[in-house]
Amino acid sequence: MTATAAATLTLAAASLIGTASGAHAATVDYACRTPDVYADGLYVHTCINWYMGQSNPTWGTVSTHGGNNTSITLCVHLLNQNLAEVGGSKKCSTVWGPSGSVQGPPVNQPCDGTKYYAESWFTSPTYYYGGMGPAVVC
């Protein structure tokens, strides 16, 4: 996990919207789903992230905590306001359920008033929905 993702995920649990310093020169801003989604013994925390003062790039993050002591395949991607996946925004990784995290790749989008969301899910091997964060307008 990058320093940016670690800072974002650590502080995101405390509030819906906040800021955190990351490895990037700019400050990271984010909006997270609250409350976390509970599925298969795990709490799933989904956020959309961007650099404060900039609309691009944007990326999704997801983290898990709880009592499911197994490996899961944890995924996150961005959706546009039509709920279509934003190309190049998806990332899935095999992680340890009680302390998993995934950061999606940053993507640039046209800033024309479109709303964007981060959405997550995991398999263990059954599919579980992790939730969708609040909209961010670019």
Side-chain angles (χ1 to χ4, degrees):
M1 176 174 9
T2 67
T4 300
T8 299
L9 294 174
T10 299
L11 292 177
S15 67
L16 174 61
I17 297 178
T19 58
S21 295
H24 190 274
T27 300
V28 173
D29 208 359
Y30 53 88
C32 301
R33 176 188 168 84
T34 186
D36 293 349
V37 171
Y38 184 78
D40 196 33
L42 295 173
Y43 292 92
V44 184
H45 189 73
T46 305
C47 302
I48 189 167
N49 308 265
W50 65 96
Y51 293 119
M52 197 145 98
Q54 304 173 26
S55 300
N56 280 304
T58 305
W59 64 97
T61 56
V62 58
S63 63
T64 57
H65 65 277
N68 179 337
N69 292 318
T70 186
S71 292
I72 62 172
T73 301
L74 183 61
C75 301
V76 65
H77 67 171
L78 298 178
L79 301 175
N80 65 21
Q81 65 191 15
N82 298 320
L83 302 182
E85 182 176 276
V86 174
S89 70
K90 180 179 170 182
K91 181 163 184 188
C92 295
S93 295
T94 300
V95 299
W96 185 242
S99 60
S101 64
V102 173
Q103 177 179 319
V107 293
N108 289 318
Q109 294 300 308
C111 289
D112 55 6
T114 299
K115 294 178 183 176
Y116 293 96
Y117 307 85
E119 181 180 53
S120 67
W121 66 97
F122 68 92
T123 56
S124 69
T126 304
Y127 172 90
Y128 295 94
Y129 186 63
M132 182 186 309
V136 171
V137 177
C138 182

